[in-house]
Amino acid sequence: MGDAVISFVIRRIGELVLSETKFLYGVEGQVGNAQIKLQCMSAFLEDADAYIRNSDEKILMHWKMLLKPTSSMKSIDKADEASSSYVQKQRQLRQAYSYVEDNHVVGFDKDIQELVALLTEKENPRKHKVISLCGMGGLGKTTLARKVYQHPQVRTHFDCYAWASISQQCNRRDVLEGILFGFTSPTKERREEIKNLSDVELARELHNFQKQNKCLVVLDDIWFKETWDLLKHAFPTTTQGDTHSKILLTTRKNDVALHADQHGYIHEPHFLNEEESWELFQNKYSSTGTDSSNSNVDEKSKEKLALEMLRKCSGLPLAIIVLAGLLSKKHTLYDWELMKENVIRCIGQGDQQHDDDLKYRSVSGVLGLSYSELTSHLKPCFLYLARYAEDVTIRVKWFCHILIAEGFIWLRRGCVETLEDVAYDWLSELVERSMIQVKQMSLKGRISIHDLMRELCLSKAQEENFLHSIDCRNQWEEPIETNITRMKLKLFSLKLEDDPMPTLEKLPKLRVLVIGYETFIGDEMACSRGGFPRLESLQLIFMKNLKEWKVEMSALPRLAYLCIHK
């Protein structure tokens, strides 16, 4: 992250030189020298990082080049001028690519047929009420559930449908409301009526609706038995009459599936074989518009290297997709050879394809590589995703604006574009690398992040002191590092006596504060009580409707960005 910080300083100095020339009379040479030294430092940090990843002394060649400021500055200028047409070409490729992400489903045909039959065939003697997809993270459970959920035979069999993402922190009220909204598509007035129901009344209404109608509910990513116990009263069970409604459930844990329904059906998606792995890799790799101008000899060598790396992915779809995204950015045979060495180093030498530890190591190793291979300008864009809760769909335009407000986005020399254009391009590159997923890729669209990728994001954000997260329920007593610049707090009310704010006076470098409120109580922002004299960015996220609020702006004298949303 040091190289990203220095890149930011270089840009600010460059802007100063261009816009404030009249105030720099007599010192412009010193400013220019400082800028050159910072560029050298940035190049050194990038190359040192690459050296650590690849263990190859040859990588430090362009550091030696930058020791000659005049020639290297000319090289940088030429590169910037040449980049304009490349940027336009990449943008066209990304626009075409953005809509094909969900088509990369390989090896699930038999699984889909079996699950569709279980959900729709009347002569099924068991009449399972709960059908569970069970398996480790990255195996494709959610993708498989989505394909079944959208299958034409399923859509014509059931009368009503609803999809609920559960994850580790389940808000029972929001889940049940969302399911009932999905079933009934209520008017605005009806929505208000539902919101005014008590929890017991809401569960009863949802329960009765499923008994009277043929409904399909997908409960995606349930982690704990206790989560099912929170929700089960809203669903008809196997002992409660001849209801035709069904539940399709996904979980990593077999005991959770059994707890939901001892007579239910548990389906475990299979790991991809070598042929399926290669097909998925090719589909993903070819969709990113990679350069195919290499020689046939290189292509054959790359294919051999790819097959060796795929064996290390242990048939895990997520690991294969991320590896393809990584290699789509590597254009020379030498780069592919380096990548193979890194894959082997990160995952290990073992070839035991049925070793669960190896499979977890394969996906975590490839995901870790996907982060370490990011360029300096993309790392903060990825790490900023740590501010979002699990399974949240992120508005592309809002996220771009936040990155711009933070100073992580800058205009590229020689290109006619806006900061918003650049932010969108960089976000699209993370999509190409399969580090984020597309709901709809446009400035008005939405994106999300896989839970395993989010775990990587959170750990890297904490490890690199990029974002410090605190959950008031179980982390409040932990000491807070004094050198943090960004903090994310999860509070559960706005009353100081209910959720006391931390002593932020001891955080002299804090510039960005993200606060998520579970409920709204009172009419004054807790964050305005103590004052934040150094805060530049304040982001407030409300889980419930907010009807009225006020904040004392004099407590935030340096505030440059304020974002308030649900």
Side-chain angles (χ1 to χ4, degrees):
M1 282 301 298
D3 51 345
V5 173
I6 290 176
S7 296
F8 173 75
V9 176
I10 293 171
R11 292 197 313 277
R12 296 305 291 266
I13 290 179
E15 293 167 2
L16 185 67
V17 171
L18 292 174
S19 61
E20 304 293 342
T21 304
K22 61 181 179 181
F23 299 112
L24 295 175
Y25 181 74
V27 296
E28 60 268 29
Q30 297 175 27
V31 173
N33 286 335
Q35 190 176 24
I36 290 171
K37 289 178 180 178
L38 284 169
Q39 284 177 324
C40 291
M41 191 180 298
S42 177
F44 175 76
L45 286 173
E46 286 197 35
D47 286 340
D49 184 49
Y51 177 78
I52 292 172
R53 293 196 311 266
N54 300 318
S55 300
D56 194 323
E57 296 180 1
K58 296 179 181 178
I59 295 174
L60 297 177
M61 286 176 61
H62 114 248
W63 162 244
K64 295 177 181 177
M65 179 195 76
L66 278 178
L67 289 175
K68 300 178 180 179
T70 305
S71 61
S72 51
M73 289 296 289
K74 290 179 181 178
S75 300
I76 293 169
D77 287 340
K78 290 179 181 179
D80 285 335
E81 291 170 4
S83 70
S84 181
S85 60
Y86 173 78
V87 168
Q88 297 300 327
K89 180 181 178 182
Q90 287 298 105
R91 182 174 299 148
Q92 292 173 359
L93 291 172
R94 287 167 188 161
Q95 288 172 350
Y97 163 74
S98 298
Y99 298 97
V100 299
E101 180 77 5
D102 287 338
N103 290 332
H104 297 154
V105 178
V106 173
F108 281 162
D109 291 343
K110 291 183 179 179
D111 304 73
I112 293 171
Q113 291 173 10
E114 181 179 347
L115 292 167
V116 168
L118 286 168
L119 287 170
T120 61
E121 290 182 1
K122 296 180 180 179
E123 55 273 13
N124 183 348
R126 296 295 299 273
K127 294 186 178 179
H128 304 288
K129 302 302 179 185
V130 179
I131 296 172
S132 299
L133 300 180
C134 188
M136 64 175 288
L139 193 54
K141 300 183 297 296
T142 298
T143 300
L144 177 56
R146 187 178 296 115
K147 287 295 179 182
V148 172
Y149 182 71
Q150 296 171 343
H151 195 279
Q153 191 174 334
V154 171
R155 302 304 282 190
T156 56
H157 179 80
F158 292 96
D159 303 318
C160 305
Y161 317 85
W163 181 291
S165 297
I166 310 300
S167 302
Q168 297 187 58
Q169 295 183 350
C170 173
N171 185 310
R172 178 177 182 266
R173 180 77 192 198
D174 286 350
V175 169
L176 298 186
E177 281 184 3
I179 292 172
L180 190 53
F181 290 164
F183 284 161
T184 61
S185 300
T187 62
K188 184 178 180 181
E189 293 74 16
R190 177 57 181 152
R191 279 178 174 262
E192 290 303 316
E193 291 178 10
I194 293 173
K195 287 182 176 294
N196 290 328
L197 294 174
S198 68
D199 288 355
V200 173
E201 290 171 333
L202 175 61
R204 184 186 301 121
E205 182 161 339
L206 189 54
H207 181 281
N208 291 336
F209 188 92
Q210 292 173 90
K211 289 191 70 174
Q212 297 164 9
N213 299 273
K214 193 186 295 183
C215 304
L216 174 63
V217 180
V218 177
L219 300 177
D220 184 37
D221 198 21
I222 292 186
W223 279 67
F224 310 110
K225 296 177 183 179
E226 295 78 10
T227 301
W228 171 257
D229 291 338
L230 281 174
L231 303 172
K232 66 181 181 181
H233 301 294
F235 303 104
T237 66
T238 53
T239 60
Q240 294 176 314
D242 192 24
T243 177
H244 295 288
S245 294
K246 302 278 189 180
I247 296 173
L248 183 61
L249 179 152
T250 74
T251 180
R252 296 188 191 183
K253 302 177 180 179
N254 193 271
D255 61 339
V256 172
L258 288 171
H259 184 71
D261 185 354
Q262 291 185 350
H263 303 288
Y265 183 86
I266 298 178
H267 180 88
E268 297 184 10
H270 70 282
F271 294 93
L272 301 184
N273 59 34
E274 187 167 313
E275 183 180 346
E276 292 167 337
S277 297
W278 177 244
E279 182 183 351
L280 179 60
F281 173 85
Q282 284 186 307
N283 286 346
K284 168 62 184 176
Y285 180 76
S286 61
S287 70
T288 57
T290 52
D291 184 11
S292 59
S293 60
N294 294 308
S295 67
N296 290 333
V297 175
D298 280 355
E299 288 303 312
K300 290 181 179 179
S301 299
K302 284 183 177 181
E303 181 176 334
K304 181 180 178 181
L305 290 168
L307 288 170
E308 292 180 36
M309 287 183 269
L310 284 174
R311 293 189 188 102
K312 301 298 180 182
C313 291
S314 303
L316 273 166
L318 180 63
I320 294 167
I321 288 172
V322 173
L323 177 64
L326 267 171
L327 290 173
S328 71
K329 302 299 175 185
K330 307 293 183 181
H331 300 299
T332 68
L333 184 60
Y334 177 70
D335 289 336
W336 281 52
E337 290 170 344
L338 284 179
M339 181 58 66
K340 190 198 81 167
E341 293 175 7
N342 287 335
V343 168
I344 292 174
R345 176 173 53 84
C346 291
I347 297 175
Q349 299 286 347
D351 285 312
Q352 302 174 27
Q353 293 298 306
H354 299 289
D355 183 342
D356 287 342
D357 290 338
L358 175 63
K359 289 177 170 61
Y360 276 106
R361 201 159 64 244
S362 69
V363 68
S364 60
V366 174
L367 296 190
L369 272 177
S370 70
Y371 174 76
S372 63
E373 289 288 332
L374 288 178
T375 53
S376 60
H377 66 278
L378 289 179
K379 284 184 177 179
C381 298
F382 174 72
L383 292 181
Y384 219 97
L385 292 165
R387 74 177 283 275
Y388 293 96
E390 191 174 6
D391 284 330
V392 166
T393 55
I394 304 163
R395 296 185 181 182
V396 172
K397 191 167 187 175
W398 283 14
F399 188 57
C400 288
H401 287 175
I402 291 172
L403 294 177
I404 292 169
E406 277 271 22
F408 292 138
I409 308 298
W410 63 90
L411 295 177
R412 295 168 289 206
R413 196 178 307 176
C415 299
V416 181
E417 57 191 351
T418 65
L419 287 171
E420 202 173 60
D421 291 334
V422 179
Y424 178 79
D425 271 359
W426 291 356
L427 208 56
S428 297
E429 188 167 343
L430 291 177
V431 173
E432 290 178 18
R433 293 170 178 264
S434 293
M435 299 186 75
I436 54 179
Q437 299 168 326
V438 176
K439 300 297 181 182
Q440 178 187 351
M441 194 57 192
S442 68
L443 282 174
K444 294 183 179 180
R446 292 174 181 265
I447 56 174
S448 65
I449 182 169
H450 190 281
D451 53 358
L452 288 182
M453 190 64 78
R454 181 175 177 272
E455 289 171 15
L456 171 71
C457 184
L458 288 171
S459 66
K460 289 296 182 182
Q462 200 89 352
E463 175 187 320
E464 301 192 6
N465 202 29
F466 184 86
L467 179 68
H468 191 87
S469 299
I470 294 179
D471 187 328
C472 297
R473 290 180 299 184
N474 50 30
Q475 294 183 348
W476 203 241
E477 292 78 15
E478 293 185 7
I480 303 175
E481 296 182 21
T482 58
N483 64 337
I484 62 174
T485 58
R486 297 176 190 83
M487 177 184 284
K488 177 185 176 183
L489 300 176
K490 186 170 184 181
L491 304 180
F492 292 86
S493 82
L494 296 184
K495 283 187 176 180
L496 287 176
E497 57 267 28
D498 295 337
D499 261 337
M501 295 288 288
T503 307
L504 297 180
E505 291 78 8
K506 297 182 180 180
L507 304 176
K509 297 182 180 180
L510 186 67
R511 297 190 302 103
V512 178
L513 181 60
V514 181
I515 303 180
Y517 291 110
E518 186 70 19
T519 59
F520 176 76
I521 305 174
D523 61 355
E524 185 176 352
M525 294 293 182
C527 63
S528 67
R529 303 279 181 93
F532 297 80
R534 302 173 186 87
L535 205 63
E536 297 176 6
S537 175
L538 175 60
Q539 302 162 36
L540 305 175
I541 307 168
F542 295 92
M543 309 303 173
K544 302 293 184 183
N545 288 339
L546 177 65
K547 296 181 179 178
E548 181 182 354
W549 65 274
K550 61 181 179 181
V551 60
E552 183 57 52
M553 296 304 293
S554 62
L556 307 167
R558 296 183 62 182
L559 192 67
Y561 180 78
L562 175 63
C563 177
I564 301 174
H565 63 91
K566 185 175 182 293

